[in-house]
Amino acid sequence: MRISYGQASDWVRAFAGAVADNKEYLTELDAAIGDADHGINMNRGMQAVLTKIDAGAQPDVGALLKTVGMTLVSTVGGAGGPLYGTLFLQMGTSAAGKAELSGEDWAAALAAGVTGVQNRGKAELGDKTMIDTLVPAVDALREALGEGAGLGDALARSAAAAETGMKATIPLVARKGRASYLGQRSANHQDPGATSSWLLIRAAAQTFAGSGAGHDAQ
Ligand code: ADP
Ligand code: MG
């Protein structure tokens, strides 16, 4: 029921793989309400992350996540890169010095990352951004863990809430970021950042549930 360094790094790799597989899709979503670069931006950043983490192991999970964040900040332009950079940097600060994470540690790290994104981008729930995926994901995770669910179940509930939040961006009018310049015309399109954030949360559910961390042997 703990997330090891190897599993944390598998999660980062799984996210990089999902971004690469969905590069065109993310860019298409951004073409509709932005400037058609979200998939390209995120893929460039995550490929740089892979190069960095393949070069050598970091001392602990916190250091790994900080390295991911710093790499994204330094390689990705636009709004998405710095926001994802902040997410990973704040997760890394929360997990500083930890060789592995409990479910509670994971929830605390993710919550710290999402708070960092909100402090930086000032988006609220319903503004049609990645926050609409991430906040429900954290809330569902905490609720499930609070009810005594095993980590695998909690992560599955978190991913389901993330997907619902992502889809809920479709009818919304954007109030933050480039899409907000379109006003009403931003409605009826799924937000690209909310979509990449769903890939991130789904990757956690898939990676940690599939590697034994998800099975609570009580
Ligand atoms: P840019 O908009 O600079 O081209 P990207 O295309 O990489 O950057 O990322 C766009 C995504 O960033 C949006 O779909 C949205 O989810 C997210 N985003 C933009 N501004 C904010 C903000 N202030 N807070 C949170 N997320 C934001
Ligand atoms: Mg863009």
Side-chain angles (χ1 to χ4, degrees):
M1 294 73 39
R2 297 180 83 81
I3 296 165
S4 67
Y5 179 93
Q7 287 169 321
S9 102
D10 284 349
W11 167 61
V12 172
R13 287 173 203 284
F15 178 51
V19 166
D21 290 347
N22 289 281
K23 187 176 96 168
E24 311 298 334
Y25 175 52
L26 293 173
T27 289
E28 262 169 47
L29 292 174
D30 197 30
I33 57 169
D35 57 354
D37 65 357
H38 189 60
I40 297 160
N41 285 345
M42 291 304 298
N43 190 52
R44 185 193 311 121
M46 290 312 296
Q47 290 303 314
V49 164
L50 290 183
T51 303
K52 188 91 188 169
I53 66 177
D54 281 345
Q58 306 293 317
D60 53 57
V61 177
L64 170 75
L65 297 173
K66 276 191 200 170
T67 297
V68 173
M70 284 187 302
T71 307
L72 290 176
V73 168
S74 64
T75 54
V76 188
L83 290 168
Y84 273 98
T86 300
L87 178 87
F88 281 100
L89 282 170
Q90 294 301 320
M91 287 188 79
T93 301
S94 175
K98 291 190 196 285
E100 56 175 23
L101 304 183
S102 66
E104 305 297 338
D105 291 337
W106 172 257
L110 191 62
V114 174
T115 299
V117 173
Q118 285 193 290
N119 286 341
R120 179 149 189 159
K122 308 287 179 223
E124 303 286 344
L125 207 55
D127 283 352
K128 196 178 181 105
T129 70
M130 55 197 283
I131 288 300
D132 292 334
T133 297
L134 294 171
V135 165
V138 170
D139 289 350
L141 183 64
R142 287 193 147 159
E143 186 181 273
L145 291 173
E147 288 169 11
L151 183 55
D153 285 347
L155 289 165
R157 282 167 61 175
S158 178
E163 184 174 10
T164 302
M166 169 187 79
K167 289 183 175 158
T169 64
I170 296 172
L172 295 175
V173 173
R175 286 193 293 247
K176 279 283 181 290
R178 215 176 272 281
S180 67
Y181 308 156
L182 294 179
Q184 292 293 332
R185 281 186 293 137
S186 64
N188 301 316
H189 298 283
Q190 186 168 300
D191 180 63
T195 308
S196 54
S197 287
W198 173 63
L199 298 175
L200 182 80
I201 300 297
R202 187 185 62 170
Q206 291 173 339
T207 306
F208 304 146
S211 56
H215 299 286
D216 215 321
Q218 326 168 355

mmCIF file with all atom_site columns, all heavy atoms in Angstrom, residues 14-36:
data_model
loop_
_atom_site.group_PDB
_atom_site.id
_atom_site.type_symbol
_atom_site.label_atom_id
_atom_site.label_alt_id
_atom_site.label_comp_id
_atom_site.label_asym_id
_atom_site.label_entity_id
_atom_site.label_seq_id
_atom_site.pdbx_PDB_ins_code
_atom_site.Cartn_x
_atom_site.Cartn_y
_atom_site.Cartn_z
_atom_site.occupancy
_atom_site.B_iso_or_equiv
_atom_site.pdbx_formal_charge
_atom_site.auth_seq_id
_atom_site.auth_comp_id
_atom_site.auth_asym_id
_atom_site.auth_atom_id
_atom_site.pdbx_PDB_model_num
ATOM 1   N N   . ALA A 1 14 ? 4.561   6.894  -17.377 1.00 0.00 ? 14 ALA A N   1
ATOM 2   C CA  . ALA A 1 14 ? 3.233   6.599  -17.939 1.00 0.00 ? 14 ALA A CA  1
ATOM 3   C C   . ALA A 1 14 ? 2.567   7.882  -18.423 1.00 0.00 ? 14 ALA A C   1
ATOM 4   O O   . ALA A 1 14 ? 1.916   7.902  -19.486 1.00 0.00 ? 14 ALA A O   1
ATOM 5   C CB  . ALA A 1 14 ? 2.361   5.901  -16.893 1.00 0.00 ? 14 ALA A CB  1
ATOM 6   N N   . PHE A 1 15 ? 2.728   8.959  -17.669 1.00 0.00 ? 15 PHE A N   1
ATOM 7   C CA  . PHE A 1 15 ? 2.159   10.242 -18.101 1.00 0.00 ? 15 PHE A CA  1
ATOM 8   C C   . PHE A 1 15 ? 2.843   10.710 -19.392 1.00 0.00 ? 15 PHE A C   1
ATOM 9   O O   . PHE A 1 15 ? 2.167   11.119 -20.341 1.00 0.00 ? 15 PHE A O   1
ATOM 10  C CB  . PHE A 1 15 ? 2.308   11.291 -16.991 1.00 0.00 ? 15 PHE A CB  1
ATOM 11  C CG  . PHE A 1 15 ? 1.786   12.656 -17.350 1.00 0.00 ? 15 PHE A CG  1
ATOM 12  C CD1 . PHE A 1 15 ? 0.510   12.825 -17.868 1.00 0.00 ? 15 PHE A CD1 1
ATOM 13  C CD2 . PHE A 1 15 ? 2.586   13.787 -17.162 1.00 0.00 ? 15 PHE A CD2 1
ATOM 14  C CE1 . PHE A 1 15 ? 0.028   14.101 -18.206 1.00 0.00 ? 15 PHE A CE1 1
ATOM 15  C CE2 . PHE A 1 15 ? 2.111   15.061 -17.490 1.00 0.00 ? 15 PHE A CE2 1
ATOM 16  C CZ  . PHE A 1 15 ? 0.830   15.215 -18.011 1.00 0.00 ? 15 PHE A CZ  1
ATOM 17  N N   . ALA A 1 16 ? 4.152   10.587 -19.435 1.00 0.00 ? 16 ALA A N   1
ATOM 18  C CA  . ALA A 1 16 ? 4.874   10.981 -20.656 1.00 0.00 ? 16 ALA A CA  1
ATOM 19  C C   . ALA A 1 16 ? 4.375   10.162 -21.857 1.00 0.00 ? 16 ALA A C   1
ATOM 20  O O   . ALA A 1 16 ? 4.173   10.709 -22.953 1.00 0.00 ? 16 ALA A O   1
ATOM 21  C CB  . ALA A 1 16 ? 6.379   10.788 -20.471 1.00 0.00 ? 16 ALA A CB  1
ATOM 22  N N   . GLY A 1 17 ? 4.147   8.872  -21.634 1.00 0.00 ? 17 GLY A N   1
ATOM 23  C CA  . GLY A 1 17 ? 3.647   8.006  -22.717 1.00 0.00 ? 17 GLY A CA  1
ATOM 24  C C   . GLY A 1 17 ? 2.253   8.424  -23.156 1.00 0.00 ? 17 GLY A C   1
ATOM 25  O O   . GLY A 1 17 ? 1.951   8.479  -24.357 1.00 0.00 ? 17 GLY A O   1
ATOM 26  N N   . ALA A 1 18 ? 1.391   8.738  -22.183 1.00 0.00 ? 18 ALA A N   1
ATOM 27  C CA  . ALA A 1 18 ? 0.020   9.148  -22.501 1.00 0.00 ? 18 ALA A CA  1
ATOM 28  C C   . ALA A 1 18 ? 0.011   10.481 -23.254 1.00 0.00 ? 18 ALA A C   1
ATOM 29  O O   . ALA A 1 18 ? -0.768  10.671 -24.195 1.00 0.00 ? 18 ALA A O   1
ATOM 30  C CB  . ALA A 1 18 ? -0.811  9.246  -21.226 1.00 0.00 ? 18 ALA A CB  1
ATOM 31  N N   . VAL A 1 19 ? 0.885   11.386 -22.852 1.00 0.00 ? 19 VAL A N   1
ATOM 32  C CA  . VAL A 1 19 ? 0.973   12.680 -23.544 1.00 0.00 ? 19 VAL A CA  1
ATOM 33  C C   . VAL A 1 19 ? 1.455   12.462 -24.980 1.00 0.00 ? 19 VAL A C   1
ATOM 34  O O   . VAL A 1 19 ? 0.911   13.045 -25.925 1.00 0.00 ? 19 VAL A O   1
ATOM 35  C CB  . VAL A 1 19 ? 1.910   13.653 -22.785 1.00 0.00 ? 19 VAL A CB  1
ATOM 36  C CG1 . VAL A 1 19 ? 2.283   14.853 -23.642 1.00 0.00 ? 19 VAL A CG1 1
ATOM 37  C CG2 . VAL A 1 19 ? 1.243   14.119 -21.486 1.00 0.00 ? 19 VAL A CG2 1
ATOM 38  N N   . ALA A 1 20 ? 2.447   11.597 -25.156 1.00 0.00 ? 20 ALA A N   1
ATOM 39  C CA  . ALA A 1 20 ? 2.957   11.319 -26.504 1.00 0.00 ? 20 ALA A CA  1
ATOM 40  C C   . ALA A 1 20 ? 1.852   10.700 -27.368 1.00 0.00 ? 20 ALA A C   1
ATOM 41  O O   . ALA A 1 20 ? 1.644   11.104 -28.519 1.00 0.00 ? 20 ALA A O   1
ATOM 42  C CB  . ALA A 1 20 ? 4.173   10.397 -26.440 1.00 0.00 ? 20 ALA A CB  1
ATOM 43  N N   . ASP A 1 21 ? 1.114   9.733  -26.792 1.00 0.00 ? 21 ASP A N   1
ATOM 44  C CA  . ASP A 1 21 ? 0.034   9.068  -27.544 1.00 0.00 ? 21 ASP A CA  1
ATOM 45  C C   . ASP A 1 21 ? -1.091  10.033 -27.893 1.00 0.00 ? 21 ASP A C   1
ATOM 46  O O   . ASP A 1 21 ? -1.813  9.813  -28.870 1.00 0.00 ? 21 ASP A O   1
ATOM 47  C CB  . ASP A 1 21 ? -0.574  7.926  -26.706 1.00 0.00 ? 21 ASP A CB  1
ATOM 48  C CG  . ASP A 1 21 ? 0.376   6.760  -26.547 1.00 0.00 ? 21 ASP A CG  1
ATOM 49  O OD1 . ASP A 1 21 ? 1.390   6.702  -27.269 1.00 0.00 ? 21 ASP A OD1 1
ATOM 50  O OD2 . ASP A 1 21 ? 0.110   5.900  -25.670 1.00 0.00 ? 21 ASP A OD2 1
ATOM 51  N N   . ASN A 1 22 ? -1.298  11.050 -27.056 1.00 0.00 ? 22 ASN A N   1
ATOM 52  C CA  . ASN A 1 22 ? -2.425  11.984 -27.241 1.00 0.00 ? 22 ASN A CA  1
ATOM 53  C C   . ASN A 1 22 ? -1.978  13.370 -27.700 1.00 0.00 ? 22 ASN A C   1
ATOM 54  O O   . ASN A 1 22 ? -2.735  14.334 -27.605 1.00 0.00 ? 22 ASN A O   1
ATOM 55  C CB  . ASN A 1 22 ? -3.214  12.096 -25.927 1.00 0.00 ? 22 ASN A CB  1
ATOM 56  C CG  . ASN A 1 22 ? -3.987  10.830 -25.639 1.00 0.00 ? 22 ASN A CG  1
ATOM 57  O OD1 . ASN A 1 22 ? -5.047  10.612 -26.204 1.00 0.00 ? 22 ASN A OD1 1
ATOM 58  N ND2 . ASN A 1 22 ? -3.426  9.972  -24.806 1.00 0.00 ? 22 ASN A ND2 1
ATOM 59  N N   . LYS A 1 23 ? -0.763  13.440 -28.216 1.00 0.00 ? 23 LYS A N   1
ATOM 60  C CA  . LYS A 1 23 ? -0.214  14.743 -28.622 1.00 0.00 ? 23 LYS A CA  1
ATOM 61  C C   . LYS A 1 23 ? -1.116  15.444 -29.642 1.00 0.00 ? 23 LYS A C   1
ATOM 62  O O   . LYS A 1 23 ? -1.450  16.624 -29.473 1.00 0.00 ? 23 LYS A O   1
ATOM 63  C CB  . LYS A 1 23 ? 1.182   14.516 -29.208 1.00 0.00 ? 23 LYS A CB  1
ATOM 64  C CG  . LYS A 1 23 ? 1.935   15.768 -29.518 1.00 0.00 ? 23 LYS A CG  1
ATOM 65  C CD  . LYS A 1 23 ? 3.334   15.461 -29.990 1.00 0.00 ? 23 LYS A CD  1
ATOM 66  C CE  . LYS A 1 23 ? 3.349   15.449 -31.488 1.00 0.00 ? 23 LYS A CE  1
ATOM 67  N NZ  . LYS A 1 23 ? 4.717   15.442 -32.051 1.00 0.00 ? 23 LYS A NZ  1
ATOM 68  N N   . GLU A 1 24 ? -1.525  14.697 -30.663 1.00 0.00 ? 24 GLU A N   1
ATOM 69  C CA  . GLU A 1 24 ? -2.358  15.304 -31.713 1.00 0.00 ? 24 GLU A CA  1
ATOM 70  C C   . GLU A 1 24 ? -3.722  15.715 -31.152 1.00 0.00 ? 24 GLU A C   1
ATOM 71  O O   . GLU A 1 24 ? -4.240  16.781 -31.475 1.00 0.00 ? 24 GLU A O   1
ATOM 72  C CB  . GLU A 1 24 ? -2.599  14.331 -32.879 1.00 0.00 ? 24 GLU A CB  1
ATOM 73  C CG  . GLU A 1 24 ? -1.358  13.651 -33.437 1.00 0.00 ? 24 GLU A CG  1
ATOM 74  C CD  . GLU A 1 24 ? -0.368  14.637 -34.021 1.00 0.00 ? 24 GLU A CD  1
ATOM 75  O OE1 . GLU A 1 24 ? -0.802  15.722 -34.432 1.00 0.00 ? 24 GLU A OE1 1
ATOM 76  O OE2 . GLU A 1 24 ? 0.841   14.327 -34.025 1.00 0.00 ? 24 GLU A OE2 1
ATOM 77  N N   . TYR A 1 25 ? -4.280  14.838 -30.325 1.00 0.00 ? 25 TYR A N   1
ATOM 78  C CA  . TYR A 1 25 ? -5.601  15.101 -29.745 1.00 0.00 ? 25 TYR A CA  1
ATOM 79  C C   . TYR A 1 25 ? -5.563  16.364 -28.883 1.00 0.00 ? 25 TYR A C   1
ATOM 80  O O   . TYR A 1 25 ? -6.433  17.249 -29.005 1.00 0.00 ? 25 TYR A O   1
ATOM 81  C CB  . TYR A 1 25 ? -6.031  13.882 -28.931 1.00 0.00 ? 25 TYR A CB  1
ATOM 82  C CG  . TYR A 1 25 ? -7.321  14.040 -28.166 1.00 0.00 ? 25 TYR A CG  1
ATOM 83  C CD1 . TYR A 1 25 ? -8.494  14.472 -28.794 1.00 0.00 ? 25 TYR A CD1 1
ATOM 84  C CD2 . TYR A 1 25 ? -7.388  13.741 -26.806 1.00 0.00 ? 25 TYR A CD2 1
ATOM 85  C CE1 . TYR A 1 25 ? -9.681  14.602 -28.078 1.00 0.00 ? 25 TYR A CE1 1
ATOM 86  C CE2 . TYR A 1 25 ? -8.566  13.867 -26.088 1.00 0.00 ? 25 TYR A CE2 1
ATOM 87  C CZ  . TYR A 1 25 ? -9.707  14.299 -26.723 1.00 0.00 ? 25 TYR A CZ  1
ATOM 88  O OH  . TYR A 1 25 ? -10.879 14.431 -26.017 1.00 0.00 ? 25 TYR A OH  1
ATOM 89  N N   . LEU A 1 26 ? -4.553  16.485 -28.022 1.00 0.00 ? 26 LEU A N   1
ATOM 90  C CA  . LEU A 1 26 ? -4.444  17.669 -27.155 1.00 0.00 ? 26 LEU A CA  1
ATOM 91  C C   . LEU A 1 26 ? -4.264  18.929 -27.986 1.00 0.00 ? 26 LEU A C   1
ATOM 92  O O   . LEU A 1 26 ? -4.803  19.992 -27.674 1.00 0.00 ? 26 LEU A O   1
ATOM 93  C CB  . LEU A 1 26 ? -3.273  17.509 -26.174 1.00 0.00 ? 26 LEU A CB  1
ATOM 94  C CG  . LEU A 1 26 ? -3.415  16.407 -25.114 1.00 0.00 ? 26 LEU A CG  1
ATOM 95  C CD1 . LEU A 1 26 ? -2.112  16.251 -24.328 1.00 0.00 ? 26 LEU A CD1 1
ATOM 96  C CD2 . LEU A 1 26 ? -4.573  16.700 -24.156 1.00 0.00 ? 26 LEU A CD2 1
ATOM 97  N N   . THR A 1 27 ? -3.515  18.804 -29.054 1.00 0.00 ? 27 THR A N   1
ATOM 98  C CA  . THR A 1 27 ? -3.287  19.958 -29.926 1.00 0.00 ? 27 THR A CA  1
ATOM 99  C C   . THR A 1 27 ? -4.557  20.342 -30.676 1.00 0.00 ? 27 THR A C   1
ATOM 100 O O   . THR A 1 27 ? -4.875  21.520 -30.828 1.00 0.00 ? 27 THR A O   1
ATOM 101 C CB  . THR A 1 27 ? -2.093  19.669 -30.851 1.00 0.00 ? 27 THR A CB  1
ATOM 102 O OG1 . THR A 1 27 ? -0.916  19.691 -30.028 1.00 0.00 ? 27 THR A OG1 1
ATOM 103 C CG2 . THR A 1 27 ? -1.945  20.692 -31.959 1.00 0.00 ? 27 THR A CG2 1
ATOM 104 N N   . GLU A 1 28 ? -5.338  19.321 -31.094 1.00 0.00 ? 28 GLU A N   1
ATOM 105 C CA  . GLU A 1 28 ? -6.632  19.595 -31.748 1.00 0.00 ? 28 GLU A CA  1
ATOM 106 C C   . GLU A 1 28 ? -7.572  20.328 -30.801 1.00 0.00 ? 28 GLU A C   1
ATOM 107 O O   . GLU A 1 28 ? -8.253  21.275 -31.202 1.00 0.00 ? 28 GLU A O   1
ATOM 108 C CB  . GLU A 1 28 ? -7.325  18.269 -32.097 1.00 0.00 ? 28 GLU A CB  1
ATOM 109 C CG  . GLU A 1 28 ? -7.164  17.802 -33.503 1.00 0.00 ? 28 GLU A CG  1
ATOM 110 C CD  . GLU A 1 28 ? -7.669  16.360 -33.622 1.00 0.00 ? 28 GLU A CD  1
ATOM 111 O OE1 . GLU A 1 28 ? -8.771  16.058 -33.113 1.00 0.00 ? 28 GLU A OE1 1
ATOM 112 O OE2 . GLU A 1 28 ? -6.931  15.542 -34.195 1.00 0.00 ? 28 GLU A OE2 1
ATOM 113 N N   . LEU A 1 29 ? -7.626  19.872 -29.540 1.00 0.00 ? 29 LEU A N   1
ATOM 114 C CA  . LEU A 1 29 ? -8.490  20.546 -28.562 1.00 0.00 ? 29 LEU A CA  1
ATOM 115 C C   . LEU A 1 29 ? -8.047  21.996 -28.393 1.00 0.00 ? 29 LEU A C   1
ATOM 116 O O   . LEU A 1 29 ? -8.872  22.904 -28.297 1.00 0.00 ? 29 LEU A O   1
ATOM 117 C CB  . LEU A 1 29 ? -8.447  19.822 -27.209 1.00 0.00 ? 29 LEU A CB  1
ATOM 118 C CG  . LEU A 1 29 ? -9.076  18.422 -27.143 1.00 0.00 ? 29 LEU A CG  1
ATOM 119 C CD1 . LEU A 1 29 ? -8.810  17.799 -25.771 1.00 0.00 ? 29 LEU A CD1 1
ATOM 120 C CD2 . LEU A 1 29 ? -10.572 18.461 -27.409 1.00 0.00 ? 29 LEU A CD2 1
ATOM 121 N N   . ASP A 1 30 ? -6.728  22.213 -28.362 1.00 0.00 ? 30 ASP A N   1
ATOM 122 C CA  . ASP A 1 30 ? -6.201  23.573 -28.189 1.00 0.00 ? 30 ASP A CA  1
ATOM 123 C C   . ASP A 1 30 ? -6.401  24.406 -29.459 1.00 0.00 ? 30 ASP A C   1
ATOM 124 O O   . ASP A 1 30 ? -6.530  25.631 -29.379 1.00 0.00 ? 30 ASP A O   1
ATOM 125 C CB  . ASP A 1 30 ? -4.720  23.512 -27.791 1.00 0.00 ? 30 ASP A CB  1
ATOM 126 C CG  . ASP A 1 30 ? -4.200  24.814 -27.190 1.00 0.00 ? 30 ASP A CG  1
ATOM 127 O OD1 . ASP A 1 30 ? -4.990  25.540 -26.554 1.00 0.00 ? 30 ASP A OD1 1
ATOM 128 O OD2 . ASP A 1 30 ? -3.008  25.104 -27.362 1.00 0.00 ? 30 ASP A OD2 1
ATOM 129 N N   . ALA A 1 31 ? -6.470  23.746 -30.611 1.00 0.00 ? 31 ALA A N   1
ATOM 130 C CA  . ALA A 1 31 ? -6.724  24.485 -31.864 1.00 0.00 ? 31 ALA A CA  1
ATOM 131 C C   . ALA A 1 31 ? -8.112  25.118 -31.831 1.00 0.00 ? 31 ALA A C   1
ATOM 132 O O   . ALA A 1 31 ? -8.335  26.206 -32.351 1.00 0.00 ? 31 ALA A O   1
ATOM 133 C CB  . ALA A 1 31 ? -6.593  23.553 -33.071 1.00 0.00 ? 31 ALA A CB  1
ATOM 134 N N   . ALA A 1 32 ? -9.070  24.426 -31.179 1.00 0.00 ? 32 ALA A N   1
ATOM 135 C CA  . ALA A 1 32 ? -10.448 24.922 -31.150 1.00 0.00 ? 32 ALA A CA  1
ATOM 136 C C   . ALA A 1 32 ? -10.596 26.168 -30.276 1.00 0.00 ? 32 ALA A C   1
ATOM 137 O O   . ALA A 1 32 ? -11.350 27.077 -30.607 1.00 0.00 ? 32 ALA A O   1
ATOM 138 C CB  . ALA A 1 32 ? -11.384 23.823 -30.668 1.00 0.00 ? 32 ALA A CB  1
ATOM 139 N N   . ILE A 1 33 ? -9.885  26.214 -29.133 1.00 0.00 ? 33 ILE A N   1
ATOM 140 C CA  . ILE A 1 33 ? -10.122 27.350 -28.213 1.00 0.00 ? 33 ILE A CA  1
ATOM 141 C C   . ILE A 1 33 ? -8.824  28.026 -27.769 1.00 0.00 ? 33 ILE A C   1
ATOM 142 O O   . ILE A 1 33 ? -8.828  28.852 -26.861 1.00 0.00 ? 33 ILE A O   1
ATOM 143 C CB  . ILE A 1 33 ? -10.941 26.918 -26.960 1.00 0.00 ? 33 ILE A CB  1
ATOM 144 C CG1 . ILE A 1 33 ? -10.260 25.778 -26.179 1.00 0.00 ? 33 ILE A CG1 1
ATOM 145 C CG2 . ILE A 1 33 ? -12.349 26.533 -27.357 1.00 0.00 ? 33 ILE A CG2 1
ATOM 146 C CD1 . ILE A 1 33 ? -10.905 25.520 -24.809 1.00 0.00 ? 33 ILE A CD1 1
ATOM 147 N N   . GLY A 1 34 ? -7.717  27.676 -28.408 1.00 0.00 ? 34 GLY A N   1
ATOM 148 C CA  . GLY A 1 34 ? -6.443  28.285 -28.011 1.00 0.00 ? 34 GLY A CA  1
ATOM 149 C C   . GLY A 1 34 ? -5.559  28.483 -29.226 1.00 0.00 ? 34 GLY A C   1
ATOM 150 O O   . GLY A 1 34 ? -6.007  28.984 -30.248 1.00 0.00 ? 34 GLY A O   1
ATOM 151 N N   . ASP A 1 35 ? -4.312  28.054 -29.117 1.00 0.00 ? 35 ASP A N   1
ATOM 152 C CA  . ASP A 1 35 ? -3.356  28.299 -30.202 1.00 0.00 ? 35 ASP A CA  1
ATOM 153 C C   . ASP A 1 35 ? -2.667  27.023 -30.697 1.00 0.00 ? 35 ASP A C   1
ATOM 154 O O   . ASP A 1 35 ? -1.574  27.079 -31.255 1.00 0.00 ? 35 ASP A O   1
ATOM 155 C CB  . ASP A 1 35 ? -2.298  29.314 -29.740 1.00 0.00 ? 35 ASP A CB  1
ATOM 156 C CG  . ASP A 1 35 ? -1.587  28.842 -28.487 1.00 0.00 ? 35 ASP A CG  1
ATOM 157 O OD1 . ASP A 1 35 ? -2.000  27.799 -27.934 1.00 0.00 ? 35 ASP A OD1 1
ATOM 158 O OD2 . ASP A 1 35 ? -0.633  29.510 -28.061 1.00 0.00 ? 35 ASP A OD2 1
ATOM 159 N N   . ALA A 1 36 ? -3.353  25.903 -30.500 1.00 0.00 ? 36 ALA A N   1
ATOM 160 C CA  . ALA A 1 36 ? -2.923  24.638 -31.112 1.00 0.00 ? 36 ALA A CA  1
ATOM 161 C C   . ALA A 1 36 ? -1.509  24.208 -30.727 1.00 0.00 ? 36 ALA A C   1
ATOM 162 O O   . ALA A 1 36 ? -0.780  23.670 -31.564 1.00 0.00 ? 36 ALA A O   1
ATOM 163 C CB  . ALA A 1 36 ? -3.044  24.723 -32.640 1.00 0.00 ? 36 ALA A CB  1
#
